[in-house]
Amino acid sequence: MEDTNPELERFRNQWREEVTARAKGVAQNGDGRPSRSSGPAKSLIPHTIPPPPLSAVNASDAHDEDEVDGVDQKGYHDLVNKDDLRRLGDGQGEPSHSGDGNRQPRSALEHYEKAVEKETQGSLGDSLSLYRKAYRLDYRVDQTYKNKHFPISSSASKPANLNPSNAAVTVPNPAHHSLQGPSTSIQDLIASFSNLSMPVESAPTERSPAPPCPIAIIPSEVLIEILQHIAIIDVASFARLAQVCKRLAYLVTTEDRIWKRVCCGDEVGFGAMHYDWTCDIHGHTLGDDGEGGYILDSTSTDLNPKPSTSTSISLADNPLTLSLLHKTYASTWRVMFRTRPRIRFNGCYISTVNYVRPGASSPTQISWNTPVHIVTYYRYLRFFRDGTAVSLLTTAEPADVVHYLTKENMHTHHSGALPSAVMKPALRGRWRLSGPGTGLSTAGASEVEGDVHVETEGVDIKYMYKMHFSLRSAGRGAKNNKMSWRGFWSYNRLTDDWAEFALRNDRAFFWSRVRSYGIGY
């Protein structure tokens, strides 16, 4: 049955005319010449405006014409910059469609990806705006982006393959045992240095003799004696000798005779520690009455008695010291010297206090804000070997104070023009450690070892101050370089009353070495 629909017939005629016109437009150039003769020259000129897409019939016709020429026609307008159209997260480098490239981001992740792209291109303003929009939609969008584009490797979550070579456990394969880690401890490593000698410098040439190294030929007994004198003068320099060579590292670490002498000596060891009061707060030697005088009995006729002295017991041979050495400090004098609480004399302890207090506005001016004051002051404590101490509270910085914390400057006749005038408010005092000590003291028998008691003069003659600290360690390698507050009291001699100071703003004391003090003598 023949279709006589006039509208359908009109549409068919219009479609044929349109196809014919397009075919003629492709086959001819602007002046009517065939495109076959100018095809190669035309293909080298990029089009500024891409032509409309051809239909299936026109595409087949153009393909037939290319086959007749034998040359594949290429239009440079078809090349797209893949770097411009590549989007984040696309696994392939194919250009995206025009609709996808112009699509506005909707989700938080798309905003974040677009922001990263803009930031890479240098458009910081646009990237900042997109970042803000992304975080408004999802405050954890950065984690989502990280999980998508930088996922955690699956191999990281799995345990390490202990047998990478797939060999039996009994097979001595180096690849099999390489992941086990070092099996030797530090003690075993140091012990392996025992048979080593000091290395000497090699000869500069083959025929010239090696430079002399006198310390390498010294006998071990003489070398240990030299190291012992170094440790007594400066234990820090003695410890740094372990960095010279393996032989010295072995001697510094394992030679217990040197550490025993340092630990029990009165230079830097526990022979200089006081576990009982040895003087009053003014520095006078204590007598029988505990205040610097002596009590005479009814039968005594000596008007100048001497203080009684008990039998001196060596600290190294004291049973209490030996008990602490074996039970607490692993039978090593080096560990005992490093970790047992002790006072240091080659420096001073400094506490830096900072706090903020509100200020008062000017009554004659209108201000929108309230002023504040940042208050900074320092507390200084220096301990001496004879049991005396110096306490100072001032606003002067440590560089202007520490060199004048000496007994010679403990007087009140300081002039304001002299640098030592910072010592005018300094207070005399005394100190002692708590704990068992040498076993000769009875005052600290029931106390816990590691506390420091300091008593100083007051601002008035009727007052006395008492400070209680706890020795601690601050830092990785340093020991006994921090004193934390445990209490601060004031004693009134007239009324026999105790008052406690608040420690709201006070901070701990930290030890600082002062080279001008030497070893504290």
Side-chain angles (χ1 to χ4, degrees):
M1 182 177 180
E2 185 180 0
D3 190 5
T4 57
N5 192 345
E7 295 181 358
L8 182 58
E9 190 67 24
R10 193 185 314 110
F11 175 78
R12 290 176 177 173
N13 297 332
Q14 186 178 357
W15 177 75
R16 291 192 184 98
E17 295 175 358
E18 183 179 355
V19 170
T20 305
R22 288 185 180 180
K24 292 180 179 181
V26 173
Q28 297 179 358
N29 12 12
D31 55 354
R33 289 179 298 176
S35 60
R36 180 175 305 172
S37 59
S38 60
K42 186 179 179 180
S43 61
L44 298 176
I45 303 175
H47 294 274
T48 56
I49 301 177
L54 301 178
S55 60
V57 177
N58 295 335
S60 60
D61 295 339
H63 182 65
D64 295 337
E65 292 179 1
D66 294 338
E67 289 182 351
V68 172
D69 282 339
V71 179
D72 189 9
Q73 299 286 339
K74 294 183 179 180
Y76 284 90
H77 61 274
D78 294 329
L79 296 178
V80 183
N81 190 354
K82 297 183 179 180
D83 293 333
D84 295 337
L85 298 180
R86 183 182 293 114
R87 299 183 59 187
L88 288 174
D90 291 339
Q92 304 293 334
E94 298 296 332
S96 58
H97 299 286
S98 59
D100 295 340
N102 298 329
R103 186 170 64 90
Q104 296 297 328
R106 296 183 180 180
S107 63
L109 181 59
E110 293 178 353
H111 280 87
Y112 199 91
E113 292 174 344
K114 193 70 174 178
V116 172
E117 182 181 355
K118 291 293 185 181
E119 185 178 3
T120 306
Q121 297 174 358
S123 302
L124 301 182
D126 297 340
S127 65
L128 181 60
S129 177
L130 291 170
Y131 277 133
R132 289 176 177 174
K133 293 179 181 179
Y135 278 105
R136 287 172 184 171
L137 295 174
D138 184 7
Y139 70 98
R140 300 186 62 182
V141 64
D142 56 333
Q143 296 295 332
T144 307
Y145 177 84
K146 182 178 179 181
N147 295 335
K148 177 181 178 182
H149 297 282
F150 306 99
I152 301 176
S153 177
S154 58
S155 60
S157 59
K158 297 179 181 180
N161 186 12
L162 299 180
N163 191 7
S165 59
N166 296 324
V169 179
T170 57
V171 176
N173 188 358
H176 168 61
H177 297 285
S178 60
L179 297 181
Q180 297 294 335
S183 60
T184 56
S185 61
I186 299 299
Q187 291 78 7
D188 297 336
L189 182 63
I190 296 297
S192 65
F193 300 158
S194 59
N195 297 325
L196 299 178
S197 59
M198 289 189 183
V200 297
E201 187 178 359
S202 59
T205 61
E206 295 180 357
R207 297 186 179 183
S208 60
C213 183
I215 196 174
I217 60 177
I218 294 178
S220 299
E221 295 77 8
V222 179
L223 181 60
I224 291 174
E225 189 69 21
I226 295 174
L227 295 179
Q228 180 173 314
H229 284 280
I230 296 175
I232 293 173
I233 297 174
D234 188 3
V235 68
S237 299
F238 168 69
R240 283 194 292 269
L241 286 176
Q243 303 175 2
V244 176
C245 64
K246 295 180 180 179
R247 176 61 178 170
L248 289 179
Y250 175 76
L251 293 176
V252 170
T253 308
T254 62
E255 190 53 51
D256 228 22
R257 287 176 292 178
I258 300 177
W259 288 107
K260 181 179 179 180
R261 174 62 180 85
V262 173
C263 188
C264 300
D266 58 355
E267 294 84 5
V268 292
F270 298 98
M273 300 298 107
H274 300 289
Y275 297 90
D276 233 342
W277 300 117
T278 59
C279 61
D280 61 3
I281 59 177
H282 301 287
H284 302 144
T285 304
L286 288 180
D288 295 339
D289 58 353
E291 294 295 335
Y294 302 99
I295 300 176
L296 301 179
D297 54 14
S298 58
T299 61
S300 176
T301 58
D302 190 1
L303 299 179
N304 297 310
K306 300 295 187 295
S308 60
T309 57
S310 59
T311 304
S312 177
I313 302 176
S314 174
L315 181 62
D317 300 330
N318 187 269
L320 182 57
T321 303
L322 296 176
S323 176
L324 289 173
L325 175 67
H326 297 297
K327 293 182 179 179
T328 309
Y329 302 108
S331 301
T332 306
W333 291 103
R334 182 177 63 88
V335 176
M336 185 177 184
F337 176 76
R338 281 179 51 83
T339 59
R340 189 180 181 186
R342 60 184 175 88
I343 293 295
R344 301 191 180 195
F345 304 110
N346 56 347
C348 62
Y349 294 82
I350 304 174
S351 173
T352 305
V353 182
N354 292 290
Y355 69 92
V356 179
R357 66 177 180 86
S361 302
S362 176
T364 60
Q365 296 180 357
I366 299 176
S367 60
W368 294 97
N369 52 5
T370 302
V372 294
H373 299 282
I374 301 177
V375 182
T376 302
Y377 64 90
Y378 303 90
R379 290 186 181 271
Y380 300 90
L381 272 176
R382 184 184 177 185
F383 302 97
F384 297 96
R385 295 177 179 274
D386 58 353
T388 59
V390 176
S391 176
L392 177 62
L393 173 65
T394 179
T395 57
E397 295 185 355
D400 303 326
V401 175
V402 294
H403 299 290
Y404 303 101
L405 282 174
T406 59
K407 292 183 179 180
E408 291 77 12
N409 293 319
M410 291 298 300
H411 56 83
T412 57
H413 307 290
H414 292 283
S415 174
L418 296 177
S420 61
V422 295
M423 291 292 294
K424 189 173 184 180
L427 304 175
R428 295 182 178 90
R430 61 181 182 174
W431 67 272
R432 74 173 180 88
L433 282 170
S434 64
T438 62
L440 304 177
S441 174
T442 58
S446 60
E447 297 176 338
V448 178
E449 187 177 20
D451 289 351
V452 183
H453 301 270
V454 181
E455 293 181 357
T456 64
E457 301 172 326
V459 292
D460 198 334
I461 192 173
K462 66 178 181 179
Y463 291 107
M464 182 190 72
Y465 297 148
K466 180 178 177 59
M467 292 175 281
H468 188 189
F469 302 99
S470 179
L471 278 173
R472 296 289 184 265
S473 299
R476 297 183 58 184
K479 301 292 183 183
N480 299 318
N481 61 341
K482 177 182 178 182
M483 291 196 310
S484 301
W485 283 95
R486 297 197 64 182
F488 192 11
W489 300 272
S490 172
Y491 174 68
N492 192 327
R493 301 174 185 268
L494 300 180
T495 61
D496 195 18
D497 292 333
W498 288 90
E500 185 175 4
F501 292 106
L503 300 174
R504 181 180 59 181
N505 297 319
D506 289 273
R507 298 293 182 265
F509 285 79
F510 292 90
W511 175 79
S512 178
R513 183 177 181 180
V514 183
R515 295 188 179 274
S516 61
Y517 294 171
I519 58 176
Y521 281 109

